[in-house]
Amino acid sequence: MKAISIGLLGLGTVGTGVVKIIESHQDKLMHQIGCPVSIKKILVKSLSKERQVPVDSSLLTERVEDIVEDPEIDVVIEVMGGVDETRSLLLTALQNKKHIVTANKDLMALYGPELLSTATENGCDLFYEASVAGGIPILRGLVDGLASDRITKMMGIVNGTTNFILTKMSKNGSAYEDVLKQAQELGYAEADPTSDVSGMDAARKMAILATLGFSMTIDLDDVKVHGITEISKDDLEYSKKLGYTMKLIGIASREGEKVEVSVQPTLLPETHPLASVNDEYNAVYVYGEAVGETMFYGPGAGSLPTATAVVSDLVGVIKNMRLGVNGRSTVAPQYPKSLKAPEDINAKFFIRLHVSDEVGVLANITSIFSEHGVSFDKILQLPLKQKESSEIVLVTHRASLFNFENIMQELIDNPRVKEIKSTYRVEGEGAI
Amino acid sequence: MKAISIGLLGLGTVGTGVVKIIESHQDKLMHQIGCPVSIKKILVKSLSKERQVPVDSSLLTERVEDIVEDPEIDVVIEVMGGVDETRSLLLTALQNKKHIVTANKDLMALYGPELLSTATENGCDLFYEASVAGGIPILRGLVDGLASDRITKMMGIVNGTTNFILTKMSKNGSAYEDVLKQAQELGYAEADPTSDVSGMDAARKMAILATLGFSMTIDLDDVKVHGITEISKDDLEYSKKLGYTMKLIGIASREGEKVEVSVQPTLLPETHPLASVNDEYNAVYVYGEAVGETMFYGPGAGSLPTATAVVSDLVGVIKNMRLGVNGRSTVAPQYPKSLKAPEDINAKFFIRLHVSDEVGVLANITSIFSEHGVSFDKILQLPLKQKESSEIVLVTHRASLFNFENIMQELIDNPRVKEIKSTYRVEGEGAI
């Protein structure tokens, strides 16, 4: 039987894993899809560079046309990264009737809808499981659950670098800068960690998840993002004292027709399933009206885990090819985009303040909250070493983001408030 | 467009959920599969019984032929339970070219291979996601992972009743009998809890998981089973002291071509992802050579969670119908069955002993282990209130089950050993 021919765009960490898996799993691939799979061409930046995996040098090319315009190539696997050039390459490949498997979250978060509709127009599959939480089959999980359930909330730990940093800060009481340095030495963080620690990487993944899970086109700009760079040791200590664990959480929630998608440091009760997801691991917690709570846990990155997701997608494409049903599995968004206003977003909030140490200050502060109809779940007041100051930690009951932001403005303007040290969302307690 | 006609066998807890979901999700079903779905007939034991859900009484029937022999019914959903009669019903339905979705673990554990091959012969789909861990899409996760990875170990908390009991025993220090009674009152345990607490229910699910994950027909008789009825408060206390959490764990592991499938109370390090799966929740931890550790978490039972899995399978069947590709997605077992002998099974073991309180007893006991080449990870020796006895708790390093069983025999015969109070496997530390 004729082999399926693959063109591979990129031979970095993930590309190397894909080559390894396709070579070492020929038997299993044959058993599942009934025909051999062979890599025909691999696009690389430089033919002369040394490779991490032994590759027949005749497979390598520096010319994109050797892949996207070769009529013998059936499936293009894109693991080269990048956005604009890659987008145009993949559009060409789709117009040339090649199916696509991609691990590129940046691309899918920005141009997913365009690429998916181009794929459908050309009768091609475009699968992108590896773009979110590498080794976790979360996109398939969502698609499977969609028809029989209504997903109302997703919370994800979808960035391994920041989860590694927060886990170490929390366990060892270390400062952010020290742990970041350690993470860079261990290879868990890039030399320029901005994309991870700013929350942008997580935001891209949440845009992809929300678009699929809510069947609504969510653009990257719709995602409110706050990173982990300002989290202090004190914040982590107080969280622990109050029974919480700090995580960088991507939230996609829906009430009625309106959705909110955001990424921010968030406090979760220690008993929440996401609270025990540690180190570089990822997890996506999904709440469906019928199924209730489910969670998918696994490695979010890495050569072989991500390559596994890519090859699973490839198997899906090839099964569809053999059945002659490519291009039919994409489900177009069903609902028009409708974003929540701050009035519609409800959560509990953690606030840490430094206030002047005078009679009646706590009563004064808390009255500001109650004027906005916000009451408290937990209150801690502690003296500070600096004279004439105390520290107040408050955890509210559920309140709207609108009310919370107004309260914060009043606190900034209040002469008794010396400094708002930090504020965090609190999730995973009670109401979904 | 012509509606897809469903015949429903059974209208109990899960059947009621299926009716509710199909009725309330018509829009979403239409969006995903492009045609309406309607329930044509529902088999019930008695037409006159009161129903938990409003159902048009003209849909109800007591005659199986109204479903399995009605040429207009496309898909039979089996949620009636039972084994022998149900098997023959489903074989008839398959011979009449009806696709099947079943939630029946007892049936699939005993007759899965026969039913699946009959389905393939008749060009029919037979899906059974709901038979293992209700709301968790674990079977699809395994199938997706199979082609691109080699699964070497699965560990599952796949019985909600026993997990509820062990969680409460562990948290509140309560005795087994008391918690069982409480679980029965809350509806988490049956009046006759034997199938759950004996481990048999978990064993059925592990047989299904192992058959799929290892691509090898594993019969229920191949699963070694030990239940939770003998677990004492003392065992749980010592586990905690040593940093472990006790869970009823189904293990399916593979080394080379040989596999072991078993269910037993097992100690896991508190930091293991499975250790924080509490109450009635289920989870399946999967180790793949390429992907590493993944875990699927969610509700293992319940009307709507299980019905969600059934309807997701139904959507899969209908998509295949519309593509004309039914009966092609079953992957026949690839390998002949090969079970590990006790010599091939390696684990760490926890042993709690009462011994006579005399000089040299610990040296005597430990020398028995070392004669069999088994060394220790942890040793605790404590005096007992009863005169002239002490309690010894040992945790070994990894050892073969064969050596461990020989050591136990020698300890039984040893006059200084008054009683072997308990032994447990220890998993999740180090070697897979």
Side-chain angles (χ1 to χ4, degrees):
Chain A
M1 180 160 293
K2 189 172 163 292
I4 302 287
S5 282
I6 310 295
L8 188 61
L9 301 176
L11 190 56
T13 315
V14 178
T16 304
V18 170
V19 172
K20 277 187 195 160
I21 289 180
I22 290 180
E23 286 185 351
S24 63
H25 285 73
Q26 278 293 335
D27 275 9
K28 307 195 72 181
L29 289 168
M30 270 294 284
H31 184 72
Q32 293 243 337
I33 56 185
C35 64
V37 175
S38 80
I39 296 176
K40 195 180 174 207
K41 277 286 170 203
I42 303 175
L43 180 73
V44 293
K45 278 201 192 122
S46 155
L47 290 178
S48 56
K49 196 183 153 193
E50 221 172 287
R51 304 291 155 195
Q52 295 168 281
V53 65
V55 179
D56 180 350
S57 64
S58 70
L59 295 183
L60 303 181
T61 177
E62 292 175 1
R63 293 163 29 91
V64 297
E65 308 82 47
D66 288 350
I67 290 178
V68 299
E69 291 180 3
D70 179 344
E72 286 184 6
I73 284 179
D74 304 294
V75 186
V76 171
I77 295 179
E78 187 274 302
V79 287
M80 60 193 270
V83 175
D84 293 318
E85 196 195 344
T86 312
R87 165 178 165 264
S88 100
L89 260 183
L90 294 192
L91 287 173
T92 307
L94 288 169
Q95 279 144 12
N96 290 331
K97 312 294 177 199
K98 298 187 189 322
H99 310 293
I100 309 269
V101 175
T102 177
N104 192 327
K105 58 186 170 286
D106 308 35
L107 181 70
M108 289 307 294
L110 287 171
Y111 298 111
E114 177 195 19
L115 287 162
L116 286 164
S117 66
T118 308
T120 307
E121 284 160 23
N122 287 281
C124 291
D125 284 338
L126 167 58
F127 290 170
Y128 54 102
E129 181 67 70
S131 68
V132 180
I136 312 177
I138 177 66
L139 300 187
R140 257 164 290 197
L142 290 181
V143 169
D144 283 341
L146 279 178
S148 56
D149 201 356
R150 185 168 189 278
I151 292 166
T152 53
K153 188 161 188 171
M154 292 174 270
M155 293 203 286
I157 294 174
V158 288
N159 179 275
T161 304
T162 48
N163 203 45
F164 178 87
I165 292 173
L166 290 178
T167 303
K168 294 299 172 213
M169 282 178 72
S170 185
K171 278 197 181 150
N172 312 336
S174 325
Y176 168 75
E177 292 75 16
D178 299 337
V179 181
L180 173 62
K181 212 178 139 199
Q182 192 198 347
Q184 285 169 323
E185 283 163 10
L186 290 169
Y188 287 123
E190 308 278 340
D192 175 2
T194 313
S195 160
D196 292 318
V197 300
S198 68
M200 277 310 296
D201 177 82
R204 292 187 191 105
K205 294 164 182 166
M206 292 311 297
I208 297 172
L209 284 176
T211 296
L212 192 61
F214 295 153
S215 202
M216 187 184 287
T217 302
I218 300 295
D219 298 308
L220 188 52
D221 288 344
D222 301 325
V223 186
K224 297 274 170 295
V225 191
H226 200 97
I228 66 161
T229 53
E230 292 152 30
I231 298 173
S232 68
K233 289 200 277 183
D234 288 349
D235 292 331
L236 292 173
E237 254 173 52
Y238 282 114
S239 314
K240 256 192 211 169
K241 266 186 203 155
L242 295 167
Y244 295 116
T245 303
M246 176 93 71
K247 295 287 179 189
L248 182 69
I249 298 289
I251 295 177
S253 78
R254 165 158 73 173
E255 276 167 281
E257 303 304 305
K258 291 185 174 177
V259 308
E260 179 218 357
V261 189
S262 62
V263 171
Q264 62 265 301
T266 302
L267 302 184
L268 299 168
E270 284 164 356
T271 51
H272 194 279
L274 285 171
S276 50
V277 174
N278 286 323
D279 301 324
E280 76 280 18
Y281 279 90
N282 283 16
V284 181
Y285 168 98
V286 180
Y287 191 90
E289 277 177 358
V291 78
E293 296 175 58
T294 56
M295 190 176 84
F296 300 79
Y297 166 98
S303 170
L304 286 177
T306 310
T308 304
V310 167
V311 178
S312 289
D313 274 353
L314 174 65
V315 168
V317 170
I318 297 174
K319 280 185 179 171
N320 285 350
M321 285 174 69
R322 293 184 49 80
L323 299 171
V325 297
N326 300 97
R328 304 199 208 166
S329 51
T330 309
V331 181
Q334 189 175 5
Y335 306 107
K337 178 157 77 184
S338 166
L339 298 174
K340 286 187 190 176
E343 292 86 334
D344 307 317
I345 296 172
N346 290 288
K348 297 174 71 168
F349 296 94
F350 167 107
I351 307 108
R352 185 160 67 90
L353 300 168
H354 284 184
V355 298
S356 46
D357 191 10
E358 52 189 274
V359 176
V361 65
L362 187 64
N364 175 259
I365 302 281
T366 54
S367 71
I368 296 174
F369 284 79
S370 49
E371 280 160 22
H372 290 273
V374 176
S375 59
F376 297 100
D377 182 22
K378 288 166 185 156
I379 298 179
L380 263 182
Q381 179 171 358
L382 299 149
L384 275 177
K385 280 180 190 159
Q386 305 100 293
K387 245 183 162 179
E388 295 168 359
S389 275
S390 21
E391 183 154 59
I392 299 180
V393 177
L394 306 165
V395 178
T396 70
H397 283 303
R398 277 170 75 80
S400 77
L401 186 58
F402 178 78
N403 282 337
F404 177 72
E405 284 173 348
N406 283 335
I407 292 168
M408 287 306 106
Q409 196 50 58
E410 285 190 38
L411 290 178
I412 288 168
D413 300 339
N414 188 313
R416 301 185 188 193
V417 174
K418 295 190 170 175
E419 192 181 355
I420 299 177
K421 298 296 285 185
S422 54
T423 67
Y424 299 104
R425 268 172 87 151
V426 179
E427 291 280 342
E429 288 186 318
I432 300 306
Chain B
M1 180 158 293
K2 191 173 162 289
I4 301 288
S5 282
I6 311 294
L8 189 61
L9 301 175
L11 190 57
T13 315
V14 179
T16 304
V18 171
V19 172
K20 277 187 195 161
I21 289 180
I22 290 180
E23 287 185 351
S24 62
H25 285 73
Q26 277 294 335
D27 275 10
K28 307 194 71 178
L29 290 167
M30 270 294 285
H31 183 72
Q32 292 243 334
I33 57 185
C35 65
V37 175
S38 81
I39 297 176
K40 195 182 175 204
K41 278 285 170 203
I42 304 174
L43 180 73
V44 294
K45 277 200 191 125
S46 156
L47 290 178
S48 56
K49 197 182 151 194
E50 220 173 288
R51 303 292 156 196
Q52 294 168 282
V53 66
V55 179
D56 180 350
S57 64
S58 70
L59 295 182
L60 303 181
T61 177
E62 292 175 0
R63 294 163 29 91
V64 297
E65 309 81 50
D66 288 349
I67 291 177
V68 300
E69 291 180 3
D70 180 345
E72 287 185 3
I73 284 178
D74 305 294
V75 186
V76 171
I77 295 178
E78 187 275 302
V79 286
M80 61 193 272
V83 173
D84 293 319
E85 198 195 340
T86 312
R87 163 179 167 264
S88 100
L89 261 183
L90 295 193
L91 288 173
T92 308
L94 288 169
Q95 278 142 13
N96 290 331
K97 313 292 178 201
K98 298 183 190 325
H99 311 293
I100 309 269
V101 175
T102 177
N104 193 326
K105 58 184 170 287
D106 308 36
L107 181 70
M108 289 308 293
L110 287 170
Y111 298 111
E114 178 195 18
L115 287 162
L116 286 165
S117 66
T118 309
T120 306
E121 283 160 22
N122 287 280
C124 291
D125 283 338
L126 168 57
F127 290 170
Y128 54 103
E129 181 68 70
S131 68
V132 180
I136 311 177
I138 176 66
L139 300 188
R140 256 164 291 195
L142 289 182
V143 169
D144 284 340
L146 279 177
S148 56
D149 202 355
R150 187 169 188 275
I151 292 166
T152 52
K153 188 161 191 172
M154 291 175 271
M155 294 203 286
I157 295 175
V158 288
N159 180 274
T161 304
T162 48
N163 202 44
F164 178 88
I165 293 173
L166 290 178
T167 303
K168 294 297 172 213
M169 283 178 72
S170 187
K171 276 197 183 152
N172 312 335
S174 325
Y176 168 74
E177 293 76 16
D178 300 337
V179 181
L180 173 61
K181 216 179 135 199
Q182 191 199 346
Q184 286 169 322
E185 283 163 10
L186 289 169
Y188 287 124
E190 308 277 339
D192 176 1
T194 314
S195 161
D196 292 319
V197 300
S198 68
M200 276 310 295
D201 177 81
R204 292 186 191 106
K205 294 165 182 166
M206 291 311 298
I208 297 172
L209 283 176
T211 296
L212 192 61
F214 296 154
S215 201
M216 186 185 289
T217 301
I218 299 296
D219 297 307
L220 189 51
D221 289 345
D222 300 325
V223 186
K224 297 276 169 295
V225 190
H226 200 97
I228 65 161
T229 55
E230 292 152 29
I231 298 173
S232 70
K233 289 199 278 184
D234 288 350
D235 291 332
L236 290 174
E237 252 172 54
Y238 282 115
S239 314
K240 256 190 212 171
K241 264 184 206 157
L242 295 167
Y244 295 117
T245 303
M246 176 93 71
K247 295 287 178 190
L248 182 68
I249 298 288
I251 295 176
S253 77
R254 164 158 75 173
E255 278 168 280
E257 303 303 304
K258 291 186 176 177
V259 308
E260 179 218 358
V261 189
S262 63
V263 171
Q264 62 264 302
T266 301
L267 302 184
L268 299 168
E270 284 164 357
T271 51
H272 194 278
L274 285 170
S276 51
V277 175
N278 287 321
D279 302 323
E280 74 279 17
Y281 279 90
N282 283 16
V284 181
Y285 167 99
V286 180
Y287 191 89
E289 278 178 356
V291 78
E293 296 176 58
T294 55
M295 189 176 84
F296 300 79
Y297 166 98
S303 171
L304 287 177
T306 310
T308 303
V310 167
V311 178
S312 289
D313 273 355
L314 175 65
V315 169
V317 170
I318 297 174
K319 281 185 177 169
N320 284 350
M321 286 175 68
R322 293 184 49 81
L323 300 171
V325 297
N326 300 99
R328 304 197 206 166
S329 51
T330 310
V331 180
Q334 189 175 6
Y335 306 107
K337 179 157 77 185
S338 167
L339 298 174
K340 286 186 191 176
E343 292 86 334
D344 308 318
I345 296 172
N346 290 290
K348 296 174 70 167
F349 296 94
F350 166 108
I351 309 108
R352 185 159 67 91
L353 300 166
H354 285 185
V355 297
S356 47
D357 191 11
E358 54 188 275
V359 175
V361 63
L362 186 64
N364 175 259
I365 302 282
T366 53
S367 71
I368 296 174
F369 283 79
S370 50
E371 279 160 23
H372 290 273
V374 177
S375 59
F376 296 100
D377 181 24
K378 289 166 185 158
I379 298 180
L380 263 181
Q381 179 169 358
L382 300 147
L384 276 177
K385 280 177 189 162
Q386 305 100 292
K387 247 184 161 181
E388 294 169 0
S389 275
S390 21
E391 184 154 57
I392 300 180
V393 178
L394 306 165
V395 178
T396 69
H397 283 302
R398 277 171 76 81
S400 78
L401 185 60
F402 177 79
N403 282 338
F404 177 73
E405 284 172 349
N406 283 337
I407 293 168
M408 288 305 106
Q409 197 50 56
E410 286 190 38
L411 291 177
I412 289 166
D413 299 339
N414 187 314
R416 300 185 188 190
V417 174
K418 296 188 169 176
E419 193 181 353
I420 298 177
K421 298 297 287 184
S422 55
T423 66
Y424 298 103
R425 267 172 85 153
V426 179
E427 290 280 344
E429 289 187 316
I432 300 307

